[in-house]
Amino acid sequence: MAVAPAAWAGAFTPEAGGSPNADEIDRLYRIVLYIAIPIFLIVEGTLIWSLVKFRERKGGPAPAQIRGNTPLELGWTIGAAVILVVIAAVTFIYLGDIKNPASSGPAGLASGVAVASLDQPAPPSDGGKSLEIEVNGQQFVWRYDYPGEQIFSYYEMVVPTDTTVTLKIRASDVIHSWWIPELGGKADGVPGHTNETWFKIPEPGVYRGQCAELCGEGHADMRAQVRAVSPEEYTAFVEERAQEIKEAQEGLAEQRRERATEEEEVE
Amino acid sequence: MATTPEHAARISRLQQARPEVVMHGLREEPRGWLAWLTTTDHKRIGIMYLFATFLFFILGGVEALLIRLQLAVPDGTLVTPETYNGLVSMHGTTMIFLFVVPVWAGFANYFVPLMIGARDMAFPRLNALSFWLLAFGGIAFYGSLFFEPPGAGWTSYAPLSDDAYLPGGGVDAWIFLIHLTGLSSLVGAINFIATIHNMRARGMGWGRMPLFVWSILTYSYLLVAALPAIAAAVTMLLTDRHFGTDFFDANGGGDPMLWQHLFWFFGHPEVYIMILPAFGIISEILPVFARKPIFGYKAIAAATVAIAFLGLLVWAHHMFTTPTSTVVLVFFMMSSFLIAVPTGIKIFNWIATLWRGSIMMKTPLYFAAALPALFVIGGISGVILAVFPVDWQLHDTYFVVAHIHYVLFGGSVFGIFAGLYYWFPKMSGRMLSEGLGKASFWVMFVGFNLTFLVQHSAGLSGMPRRIYDYPESAGWWGFNLASTIGSFLLGIGVMMSVVNVIVSIKKGQKAGNDPWKGNTLEWFTQSPPPENNFDVVPRVRSVEPMKDIRREVMKGAEPAGTVAQPVASGT
Ligand code: HEM
Ligand SMILES: [Cu+2]
Ligand SMILES: [Cu+2]
């Protein structure tokens, strides 16, 4: 079982490191975990202690005939409730930073479009523009539509670094779930609905994920990848894609014309 | 240790304190196959339930081991993706609808009438009907193996489960299973409710009812509350699939979210339907083996009812990643937190029951004490999952698979095994082997933790659930290999108990009426009990009627207030 140490580092906490929302979720998780560990130890400790210490022994003390203890019982009820109130409070503290898109950094893409969405507050306007990409889940591939005219790609999403990217997530057949662990939580694409999430990647790099909702035979192979590149490279990518798509469409139109003429000749 | 005459007299009085109940004028027990097929005796129906559900447990277990074999190494090639989805769907559905939910009906059928001092269930023939509905539900479902098993998981989310995506008959077989087992549970639940409300022994007020009976009463009310939602949902799915409706089809104006709400409105109460009776069983076992009264009887009974009520209000915590507004998510986070409070109370009460006891270290206690030890891990992971921003990372990953199994296997199944070891002597008249029982326990305990502890890590490292393979580069290989090894240990541990049952049923040591010195009335009658259960039922004066009876017999008196019941005169 030769597992690389890198694999073990993430064995106790969620994946993070690609985007601020993922990092905040990781922090929130850790706080809840640190509250849980002592509770776990107390419960298991007293349980094991009781099982060892209070075994039936020859000449041991008679079992104590206690039926309850109201102050004690009230105490642990209130204790449990207080702990949960604390966890709720911590969640609310972190929620904003997880849910609301951060602002793009100074090194981000300058020419993005500002977005305002339904449920999700728009990124603060001071940090420059953000980029909205439409994600569409289909059996068994992800399609991305970029802002601008007719620019799309499958499987790999290319985004500029230091730029807030907001995602509109939809699905055209069954339910799929968009998830790149290091870039934050998942968001289901449900036919007939639009879901939202966001990320902001500081450094160039490649982040991998896959569909997280059972969507049929190809579910395990419905992978996704986000490649963060510098804003200049992103602009170049968009232009290149536009060219490619245009050529492909022209090629298609050409083929159609040819076929039409062929058919005419046959008649 | 010198035996004083006083001590010897005490011992002999104690032995007398195991009441021998003599039965008069009973008709002869019917024999042979037909007697089983046509029985309406709650005990025989109970045994048939237990037998059938354990068969399904073995089937579901084989499916689980095939899943684990496929995932043991990256890029597994044992099964195709279609087969894998079939295995996952069959496994989950079998374990929930054909094992854990009905196994409680099995135990309850056998023991609720005995524990409340009744001679049968309120509606014996309805009782037979619920068993046969279950059996036919199982057969209809497993029939799909011969054409095409369902492939949308035990949750059958629409629109994947719609005919456009899964046209084969598997999903239809699944729908019929839900209907048949649902009717079975509903009929059974009504029967339990009627029995528990009306047929308790004299003196057994609500405050003296055994906690297992409390849990079955709550289980029954929850079934009645939750089942209509899923019955409606699968009927709508059936018409969507075959009769052109579009309840769940966004293209026709329907909504896939509707399925999820209906499913989980049933699905979350269902998880409490599966765990509350296990809580009930160990609330019986721990005091008996610690030789102490249960700590906080009222708190435990109240917590049971509170959990059931709150359990109806948390369903959308299974839908945190769907397009749903934040206030709704907050509500369901808070309600899920709330339910953790009564659950925690129970754990504390059990530990306090063991505290300062004089614990008999017998196999039923091993399984019963393992329940809180393992369930607390599932409870904690449940609270972590209820923090919805954290759930955005963990939903639909192996972390959730680990959570499910700590609560359902570590909770429900260890509770089922505790019940099996505790009550087998009553059902068969013979003891299970202690040596083999403890060995089985330890192999199961180690195997279970090896299988499922590492799955938390797999999920945290990004492994989604319900995938048939994964690349080596994903880094999940170590967790999966460990999990597969653990699952085979777990399987061996389970089989050791199966062997124990098969061997002991003929060769086990004779149990006598009351081998554990129990607290409740099932130990008052013979093992196995005669067809009419009791000739006489003692008047109940506390939550521990058998303790009172032993005390009175020790004082040399007849158990006071014993009321005669008419002798069975053949039905
Ligand atoms: C402390 C109490 C509990 C809390 C707070 C809790 C919370 C949760 C949450 C939030 C989820 C959704 C996870 C996700 O899919 O992302 C979940 C899933 C689940 N829980 Fe619990 N849970 C608790 C107890 C139980 C119990 C007692 C059982 C059953 C005996 C149970 C069985 C399940 C099952 C079967 C699922 C997964 C369903 C599926 O997606 O297939 N839970 N739980
Ligand atoms: Cu998928
Ligand atoms: Cu739930």
Side-chain angles (χ1 to χ4, degrees):
Chain A
M1 267 199 289
V3 184
W8 279 106
F12 302 104
T13 55
E15 302 283 287
S19 172
N21 48 349
D23 299 349
E24 294 298 309
I25 292 178
D26 185 35
R27 266 183 217 125
L28 176 57
Y29 168 91
R30 277 167 206 254
I31 293 174
V32 181
L33 185 69
Y34 296 151
I35 295 175
I37 286 172
I39 297 170
F40 169 76
L41 292 176
I42 290 170
V43 171
E44 302 288 2
T46 46
L47 180 60
I48 293 168
W49 167 260
S50 309
L51 288 169
V52 173
K53 176 86 200 299
F54 302 114
R55 280 185 191 197
E56 181 179 44
R57 288 194 183 80
K58 286 219 179 77
Q65 299 299 304
I66 321 162
R67 289 182 183 271
N69 181 331
T70 312
L72 182 65
E73 291 177 61
L74 271 179
W76 63 46
T77 306
I78 294 168
V82 167
I83 290 168
L84 290 163
V85 169
V86 170
I87 295 177
V90 175
T91 305
F92 291 128
I93 293 171
Y94 279 83
L95 182 59
D97 285 348
I98 296 170
K99 170 107 188 132
N100 306 336
S103 24
S104 293
L109 188 72
S111 62
V113 283
V115 278
S117 60
L118 304 170
D119 189 40
Q120 180 177 272
S125 48
D126 58 329
K129 303 286 174 75
S130 73
L131 193 69
E132 181 180 292
I133 297 180
E134 293 188 20
V135 175
N136 190 291
Q138 334 175 335
Q139 283 182 330
F140 300 98
V141 69
W142 291 102
R143 175 188 163 118
Y144 316 112
D145 281 275
Y146 301 80
E149 248 172 85
Q150 276 273 319
I151 299 165
F152 59 87
S153 66
Y154 290 93
Y155 170 63
E156 186 184 72
M157 178 193 286
V158 179
V159 297
T161 52
D162 209 26
T163 306
T164 300
V165 179
T166 55
L167 304 178
K168 296 273 175 231
I169 295 152
R170 299 189 184 89
S172 49
D173 38 42
V174 301
I175 302 176
H176 303 271
S177 187
W178 167 258
W179 189 36
I180 308 287
E182 287 158 294
L183 302 183
K186 52 186 80 59
D188 296 354
V190 179
H193 293 264
T194 301
N195 209 345
E196 287 158 327
T197 187
W198 66 278
F199 57 76
K200 185 179 124 184
I201 306 175
E203 296 297 328
V206 173
Y207 300 91
R208 295 195 175 84
Q210 67 189 94
C211 173
E213 178 65 62
L214 178 64
C215 54
E217 292 152 24
H219 168 57
D221 303 318
M222 188 168 159
R223 305 222 161 91
Q225 168 166 318
V226 172
R227 185 155 57 93
V229 296
S230 69
E232 298 74 48
E233 280 173 81
Y234 174 76
T235 319
F237 159 81
V238 169
E239 274 159 19
E240 198 183 309
R241 265 312 273 169
Q243 193 58 35
E244 266 174 37
I245 290 167
K246 206 169 135 212
E247 275 164 18
Q249 275 168 346
E250 274 165 9
L252 216 64
E254 179 67 22
Q255 272 178 16
R256 266 197 220 108
R257 264 197 302 281
E258 271 169 19
R259 199 171 307 140
T261 9
E262 272 170 28
E263 274 165 16
E264 266 168 31
E265 277 166 13
V266 172
E267 271 168 26
Chain B
M1 224 182 70
T3 321
T4 63
E6 205 176 279
H7 186 220
R10 201 180 121 79
I11 298 238
S12 95
R13 267 194 319 246
L14 260 176
Q15 274 158 356
Q16 278 170 24
R18 304 186 171 182
E20 293 292 330
V21 179
V22 188
M23 294 295 143
H24 309 282
L26 277 181
R27 70 171 165 148
E28 228 176 281
E29 291 256 329
R31 287 173 183 281
W33 271 104
L34 208 60
W36 283 98
L37 291 185
T38 57
T39 188
T40 59
D41 175 4
H42 73 99
K43 298 182 289 299
R44 286 193 166 215
I45 294 175
I47 301 265
M48 291 201 295
Y49 257 109
L50 292 177
F51 185 76
T53 50
F54 265 83
L55 274 186
F56 285 122
F57 179 45
I58 307 285
L59 280 177
V62 170
E63 286 148 13
L65 292 181
L66 288 173
I67 292 172
R68 284 310 329 159
L69 273 181
Q70 163 73 10
L71 294 179
V73 292
D75 304 314
T77 51
L78 183 67
V79 296
T80 61
E82 293 92 324
T83 312
Y84 186 86
N85 288 353
L87 282 171
V88 167
S89 309
M90 299 287 285
H91 165 72
T93 306
T94 302
M95 288 304 190
I96 287 175
F97 295 100
L98 295 172
F99 176 49
V100 180
V101 175
V103 83
W104 294 130
F107 278 118
N109 250 303
Y110 202 106
F111 288 102
V112 164
L114 288 170
M115 291 174 105
I116 63 174
R119 293 184 34 227
D120 203 322
M121 296 280 285
F123 309 115
R125 271 187 246 176
L126 214 53
N127 203 14
L129 176 69
S130 27
F131 171 77
W132 290 108
L133 283 170
L134 168 75
F136 285 115
I139 291 168
F141 183 60
Y142 269 85
S144 71
L145 280 183
F146 297 104
F147 44 104
E148 186 188 319
W154 82 279
T155 48
S156 284
Y157 272 16
L160 178 62
S161 54
D162 213 339
D163 61 330
Y165 304 103
L166 287 173
V171 176
D172 299 303
W174 183 85
I175 291 172
F176 288 125
L177 163 117
I178 300 293
H179 268 319
L180 289 169
T181 59
L183 271 177
S184 157
S185 291
L186 204 57
V187 169
I190 290 167
N191 210 347
F192 290 128
I193 292 172
T195 308
I196 296 170
H197 275 276
N198 298 312
M199 294 170 67
R200 301 197 305 276
R202 284 214 296 159
M204 187 183 279
W206 293 113
R208 292 178 187 164
M209 203 163 79
L211 287 166
F212 179 68
V213 179
W214 266 110
S215 73
I216 291 298
L217 185 64
T218 318
Y219 157 99
S220 305
Y221 275 113
L222 268 180
L223 279 168
V224 172
L227 279 169
I230 184 104
V234 299
T235 307
M236 289 151 86
L237 183 61
L238 192 71
T239 61
D240 268 15
R241 286 175 62 82
H242 296 293
F243 306 113
T245 57
D246 285 321
F247 290 110
F248 307 122
D249 182 355
N251 297 325
D255 193 341
M257 295 280 288
L258 176 63
W259 171 266
Q260 297 191 22
H261 281 290
L262 288 173
F263 183 88
W264 289 115
F265 184 80
F266 150 83
H268 189 88
E270 177 88 339
V271 309
Y272 285 100
I273 286 164
M274 293 189 280
I275 195 68
L276 287 176
F279 289 175
I281 283 195
I282 74 156
S283 302
E284 298 297 336
I285 294 178
L286 293 178
V288 168
F289 287 80
R291 307 246 131 275
K292 263 186 73 190
I294 185 84
F295 188 93
Y297 168 89
K298 281 196 186 138
I300 295 184
T304 306
V305 177
I307 289 175
F309 176 72
L310 293 172
L312 292 164
L313 299 176
V314 301
W315 76 90
H317 69 203
H318 297 271
M319 301 168 59
F320 283 153
T321 59
T322 58
T324 301
S325 74
T326 309
V327 278
V328 176
L329 305 187
V330 168
F331 173 86
F332 283 98
M333 171 178 78
M334 300 304 280
S335 63
S336 308
F337 282 175
L338 213 54
I339 209 168
V341 175
T343 314
I345 289 176
K346 288 196 173 203
I347 293 179
F348 296 138
N349 278 309
W350 294 326
I351 295 175
T353 302
L354 293 172
W355 189 262
R356 292 183 58 204
S358 175
I359 305 171
M360 294 197 300
M361 299 304 283
K362 294 283 168 58
T363 317
L365 180 94
Y366 279 61
F367 281 101
L371 190 152
L374 299 175
F375 184 83
V376 73
I377 298 177
I380 288 175
S381 63
V383 170
I384 293 177
L385 289 168
V387 178
F388 66 89
V390 172
D391 187 68
W392 290 341
Q393 279 288 16
L394 300 178
H395 174 66
D396 263 335
T397 68
Y398 265 82
F399 190 91
V400 172
V401 178
H403 164 74
I404 303 176
H405 288 91
Y406 268 89
V407 286
L408 271 177
F409 204 118
S412 307
V413 179
F414 274 78
I416 289 164
F417 275 73
L420 179 71
Y421 276 89
Y422 180 57
W423 277 326
F424 183 84
K426 180 52 63 184
M427 293 187 284
S428 68
R430 294 183 183 269
M431 307 297 288
L432 286 167
S433 150
E434 275 293 308
L436 193 51
K438 283 179 185 161
S440 166
F441 168 80
W442 283 114
V443 176
M444 277 174 74
F445 188 81
V446 172
F448 169 80
N449 282 297
L450 183 57
T451 309
F452 296 110
L453 204 57
V454 291
Q455 291 189 356
H456 292 103
S457 294
L460 287 164
S461 310
M463 181 170 172
R465 62 193 283 211
R466 295 172 169 171
I467 54 171
Y468 76 94
D469 77 344
Y470 53 92
E472 199 176 335
S473 59
W476 306 322
W477 186 11
F479 304 133
N480 279 289
L481 190 57
S483 186
T484 300
I485 295 168
S487 67
F488 277 84
L489 265 183
L490 184 52
I492 292 169
V494 169
M495 289 322 288
M496 286 162 78
S497 280
V498 172
V499 170
N500 201 350
V501 166
I502 292 171
V503 172
S504 305
I505 217 157
K506 285 258 148 52
K507 302 226 170 83
Q509 208 187 315
K510 283 262 189 319
N513 289 356
D514 188 10
W516 313 118
K517 293 216 204 103
N519 289 335
T520 38
L521 285 179
E522 75 271 30
W523 307 107
F524 182 67
T525 182
Q526 296 165 347
S527 307
E531 201 183 351
N532 69 334
N533 294 351
F534 310 97
D535 265 6
V536 290
V537 181
R539 198 191 173 106
V540 175
R541 293 167 186 289
S542 74
V543 267
E544 294 141 343
M546 282 302 285
K547 219 185 231 177
D548 303 341
I549 290 170
R550 276 195 301 272
R551 197 178 302 128
E552 275 166 29
V553 173
M554 239 167 37
K555 278 196 242 141
E558 274 290 297
T562 307
V563 289
Q565 278 204 348
V567 169
S569 55
T571 21

